[in-house]
Amino acid sequence: MTDPKKHKISSKLHGDKLTAEYRAGEKAFKGLFYVEDKTMICRFCQHSVDWVRRNTVVDHIASKKHAKAVELAKGKPAERQATLQSAFRGSGGTSQERRGNFQKDFIRMMATADIPIEKVAAMKPFLMKYCSDGGALTSAQNLRTLYLPRVFQDHAIALKATLKDKLVSVIVDETTDHRDKSVLNIVVGDMDKLYLIDVIFMTECTAKSLSKTVLTSLTSNSIDFDNVCAFVTDNAAYCKAAWRILEPILTSAIHVGCMCHILNLVGEDFVKVFKEVKQFVNDIRNAFKRQPARKRRYLRHLSAQPDAEEDGEEDGEPARSACLPPEPCASRWGTWEKTVAYHSTHLQEYASFFDEEASNADNINRIREVLGDEGKRAWLQLEMNFIKESTPKIQFTLTKFEGNSPFAPVMYACVDDLMSYLMRGTTKVQFGPKTDDGLSSLPHAEKNRYIETFHECFTLALQKMSKHTDSSMAMDFYKLARVFDPRQVATVSHDIASYANLPGLSNPPDSLQEEWAIYMSSAKDQLPEDFKLHEFWKAMKLRIPRLAQIALQTIWLKTTSVDTERSFSQYKTLLTDKRESLSEPHTKQLLMLWYNGDMEKRLVV
């Protein structure tokens, strides 16, 4: 190998004449370096070398690190190492354009993974160590103020293109964050796809402001008012009033009260009369809240109980494992009833555990008082057993509708079944094995009093259910939508004229009537055991394309607002105590990029 120290250069080069290509091509350095994006990189060491000063290059070649790399490679250079810019270069463009694309892709990655942009300062040393020219990444301030708005603008354009001319359900909900700001999220559903299209910070949340905000958001996202088929909200009075303002404008839409919200209200009214149970649940929650030592003692106490598993198996229930009592959460529907179910099987363990606790707090004294009195404990056990055995029907229906499936065709039957269950409960005298056992041990007069109380629970729940469904225009839609479920075709009218109120079936042309006849005939065929409604109509597109498209849009009409609730969960995760200084625009941009992040591949760009 030529000794670079002995190599003479006839003249010194300055300015534009001295380049990385020139330095790498010198006779003394030939074959040792290559140039990538004006950066000279050692073929053996795979990192950049300052080429401006020749002595720096000479020192690198003479270093032990370089000599070891040459020896390890046995004279054969390693694969070419790309610079950071070229690694994220994409498709051509100038160096400045590629650098900008890298910054934007980095922002997308950070937003989708919910990594605070401030963390870039801690990531830079890693990038600079393992990526050539890792300093190409700009500062957190520049990423937030310059590149985040650009990425969000691209995202907004892609959303508009994706939702153009689509029939959508508009789902709206409002919450208050820990900064006491009122936040309104708007999600739109395009069949099985969901997109968060707006996050608005409201100064007031009234029917007028809500309706105005919705119309402004639809307009800014280029969603035609005639393409809105449903306006989904909870059942608050101002939401219903907002719909009365929007109804003359969104002429193709129906108002859908969130069925999960309705079922939550039904569940609350079902247990309204059990004040002692509610107090007990609150006392148990407070007894364990922020008490790690007590939690550990309780788990040890449970583990030490003899024959716990055998007792559970004799009752016909799964064997219990030592676990802490669940804590009811206001933002998670149905958790209170599940907590009561846990307490109903642990009253004996609670009694012995809290007798050993040294605390004299008011809540613990109340627990001791209830569990120490045989009569009060028996009453508490009976009421908890009733709740445990009588609410699963409500909870099962609630949990079912929290998923993302085509529920519109089955909603009417599910609501009707639940109404029938509640109606039967207002007169029945048998409520479940454990409840009936508890009632049988009571004196006749006291037994009748409890039966009347249980009937009142079903009556209150039935009244709440009827209040929100009897006058609902959505229930009329659900009743008609059953026709697009081949499992229910035998129970509904086969006359297409009966479904004129469904979108797309008003004044059907002859071609659509022919497709209708084909569907009615094929619906009589035996369906597979693993039947899936969405897959059925996707397959039917080959035979009856127009009717299949109408059916898909009908069955996917959104029936709940749980998707906006999920966006609020992400919002609370995004806006932690350490990120309270996030501005409203940046909060909106990061939340939308995060919520829609896993759907980027579906966006039209």
Side-chain angles (χ1 to χ4, degrees), residues 167 190-192 406 409 481 483-486 496 502-505 508 511-520 522 532-557:
L167 291 178
D190 169 26
M191 290 198 282
D192 60 329
V483 72
F484 287 127
D485 185 352
I496 193 173
L502 287 180
L505 294 184
S511 59
L512 188 57
Q513 294 189 43
E514 290 175 5
E515 291 188 5
W516 180 271
I518 294 173
Y519 165 59
M520 286 298 166
S522 63
K532 294 181 180 179
L533 188 59
H534 178 70
E535 297 299 328
F536 170 83
W537 281 109
K538 283 180 65 177
M540 291 297 284
K541 275 188 171 184
L542 297 174
R543 295 182 62 191
I544 46 176
R546 185 171 178 181
L547 184 63
Q549 185 62 29
I550 293 173
L552 285 168
Q553 291 165 350
T554 301
I555 67 176
W556 278 107
L557 181 131

Side-chain angles (χ1 to χ4, degrees), residues 30-93:
K30 199 166 184 180
L32 299 179
F33 302 96
Y34 65 90
V35 177
E36 183 82 36
D37 288 327
K38 299 182 180 180
T39 300
M40 192 173 76
I41 301 172
C42 177
R43 293 180 181 274
F44 296 91
C45 302
Q46 291 298 303
H47 68 73
S48 59
V49 178
D50 182 14
W51 52 264
V52 177
R53 296 177 60 86
R54 190 174 189 278
N55 287 341
T56 304
V57 183
V58 172
D59 290 342
H60 170 77
I61 296 174
S63 67
K64 293 181 180 180
K65 182 179 178 181
H66 178 78
K68 186 176 180 180
V70 172
E71 183 179 351
L72 289 174
K74 294 183 179 179
K76 183 179 179 181
E79 220 174 274
R80 287 170 64 107
Q81 171 69 41
T83 60
L84 190 62
Q85 295 100 319
S86 63
F88 295 95
R89 137 178 328 180
S91 55

Side-chain angles (χ1 to χ4, degrees), residues 295-518:
K295 291 177 181 179
R296 290 193 295 270
R297 292 195 297 271
Y298 175 71
L299 290 176
R300 287 197 298 268
H301 180 80
L302 283 184
S303 300
Q305 298 304 303
D307 302 326
E309 294 190 3
E310 287 80 356
D311 291 343
E313 290 170 354
E314 286 177 5
D315 292 338
E317 297 179 350
R320 295 176 299 167
S321 59
C323 61
L324 292 170
E327 184 175 342
C329 176
S331 61
R332 298 187 66 182
W333 295 313
T335 55
W336 190 87
E337 288 78 3
K338 294 176 183 177
T339 303
V340 170
Y342 175 93
H343 293 336
S344 70
T345 60
H346 289 79
L347 291 185
Q348 182 177 344
E349 290 85 353
Y350 285 150
S352 56
F353 173 73
F354 284 105
D355 277 345
E356 298 173 358
E357 286 293 289
S359 174
N360 285 316
D362 291 343
N363 60 310
I364 293 181
N365 286 334
R366 282 194 297 268
I367 293 171
R368 291 193 188 112
E369 180 185 353
V370 171
L371 298 180
D373 185 304
E374 188 174 343
K376 290 182 179 179
R377 180 171 162 182
W379 296 339
L380 183 67
Q381 183 73 70
L382 175 60
E383 292 178 354
M384 284 188 168
N385 285 339
F386 170 74
I387 294 171
K388 179 182 177 181
E389 294 180 330
S390 299
T391 58
K393 178 70 174 178
I394 301 173
Q395 296 310 313
F396 173 79
T397 308
L398 176 67
T399 304
K400 179 178 180 179
F401 293 148
E402 287 179 343
N404 184 27
S405 296
F407 290 126
V410 300
M411 183 64 74
Y412 185 85
C414 289
V415 171
D416 191 52
D417 290 347
L418 184 57
M419 294 279 282
S420 298
Y421 170 75
L422 296 175
M423 180 68 75
R424 291 194 306 272
T426 61
T427 57
K428 68 180 182 178
V429 294
Q430 293 182 329
F431 304 95
K434 290 187 176 181
T435 307
D436 295 342
D437 285 346
L439 289 172
S440 65
S441 63
L442 296 176
H444 182 71
E446 192 172 350
K447 175 181 177 180
N448 287 339
R449 181 176 65 82
Y450 263 110
I451 290 177
E452 289 177 2
T453 299
F454 296 160
H455 287 169
E456 182 183 0
C457 295
F458 283 99
T459 300
L460 290 172
L462 181 63
Q463 290 173 349
K464 182 66 72 173
M465 191 80 176
S466 300
K467 174 184 175 181
H468 289 288
T469 58
D470 286 353
S471 60
S472 170
M473 63 189 305
M475 289 304 297
D476 295 332
F477 178 89
Y478 299 148
K479 187 174 182 179
L480 295 176
R482 294 178 300 163
V483 72
F484 287 127
D485 185 352
R487 296 165 294 186
Q488 302 185 64
V489 164
T491 64
V492 299
S493 171
H494 291 196
D495 184 3
I496 193 173
S498 304
Y499 303 96
N501 289 332
L502 287 180
L505 294 184
S506 177
N507 300 317
D510 292 342
S511 59
L512 188 57
Q513 294 189 43
E514 290 175 5
E515 291 188 5
W516 180 271
I518 294 173

Side-chain angles (χ1 to χ4, degrees), residues 55 99 109 155 187 189 221 252 325 342 351 455 511 527 571-572 585:
N55 287 341
R99 183 185 179 93
M109 179 275 295
H155 188 78
V187 174
N221 284 279
S252 301
Y342 175 93
H455 287 169
S511 59
L527 299 172
Y571 177 89
K572 292 174 183 177

